Amino acid sequence: MRNKLIASMAILLASSTAALADASDGKVKIGILNDQSGVYADFGGKSSVEAAKMAVEDFGGKVLGVPVEIVDADHQNKADIASNIARQWFDTDQVDAIMELTTSSVALAVQAIAKEKKKIDIVTGAATTELTGKQCSPYGFHWAYDTHALAVGTGGALVKQGGDSWFFLTADYAFGYSLEQQTGDFVKSAGGNVVGSVRHPLATTDFSSFLLQAQSSGAKVIGLANAGADTQNAIKQAAEFGITQGGQRLAALLFTLAEVHGLGLEAAQGLTLTEGFYWNRDEESQKFGKRFFERTGKMPNMIHTGTYSAVLQYLKAIDKAGTDETEAVAKQLHELPVDDVFAKGGSVGPNGRMFHDMYLLEVKKPGDSKEPWDYFNVLATIPGKEAYIDPAKSGCELVK
């Protein structure tokens, strides 16, 4: 009897040791790196951190028998600061994966470091298609949306509605350039034309000179190829110039529920935009939205819910692989279907792009909103295979 007991204890100890060995450092550590104090603080910010924590809790708090820890930091929209944090996290703080990564320049810089260090990164906050194009990585994944999906959604809708001439007001960095180019290409392929553009610095407070150029262009649509507080300020100041009253239409090319709330329905009504998630779309999204609201005091947008999905899928991949070793987890991230509150029937391409449906939305008039945060009419669902670039045409060297 004694020998059997000793043998059983030895097997149990060996199993426990094996589990710890399969999860490096006896824990799984995920870093949420984003803008928590600047123009994109509402866009993602601390609310994305809460979404990540929700995913860990919903998974059970552990994977492979070891605890899962969320850490976070503010990169201040600066690639050098983000790079320093990423290197410290990977080299000394035992962080296994970095996620969210608002701002395209930041995401590209951190993805390059993750590739060098052979670590996982999953981008939910940045938009550039370069992440899954020429700068793709075997360990890099793009989850919530990208500039191509936004161009297909918002650009396509307005051309069909007669908005066939465009002038772009563009944020002067990688994200803005990509969004302007791809939307412009889509407008032209649909029979429209681009009459001009102007670029503005990140975190601009005075849009008057840029808006005057857009107004004098005579374009039917002024495409705002920016995001966060920049888009909100541009819309507010456009109202002061009477741009929409003069017959021109504003297209917010990256605008989410968070920014509509900050702007208010009175100013935002009638705007057309594209998102990857809307909390009031169905019963499951409503339940998630209310849980999120209890923790944050706001309803989630596609960045928040996309971060939840990314963390959850990463943990599923570790569990399926039986280890948190990067190569094995990356393989599972490419192979596992994505089925959660954010994405139904989602799949990951060989370039790391996660394919999921996007939604064409119109901001309601104040009188049509039935409850707080009830801001959108869903005009159309855009299937993932239409919204995103075919991996074979992405320019990613990983695609055979």
Side-chain angles (χ1 to χ4, degrees), residues 207 211 215 222 224 232-245 250:
F207 282 89
L211 287 168
Q215 189 175 39
I222 299 171
L224 302 176
Q232 293 182 56
N233 287 332
I235 293 170
K236 287 178 184 176
Q237 291 172 39
E240 295 170 6
F241 281 94
I243 285 177
T244 55
Q245 293 91 326
L250 294 177

Side-chain angles (χ1 to χ4, degrees), residues 157-219:
L158 291 184
V159 172
K160 289 178 182 177
Q161 294 176 14
D164 55 6
S165 61
W166 286 61
F167 184 97
F168 287 97
L169 199 158
T170 303
D172 193 12
Y173 69 106
F175 153 72
Y177 312 151
S178 180
L179 187 53
E180 177 190 330
Q181 178 186 341
Q182 293 195 28
T183 305
D185 288 346
F186 196 81
V187 166
K188 285 181 267 190
S189 70
N193 67 303
V194 177
V195 300
S197 66
V198 64
R199 292 175 175 175
H200 69 83
L202 182 67
T204 297
T205 56
D206 183 3
F207 282 89
S208 57
S209 64
F210 308 119
L211 287 168
L212 285 171
Q213 291 181 60
Q215 189 175 39
S216 63
S217 74

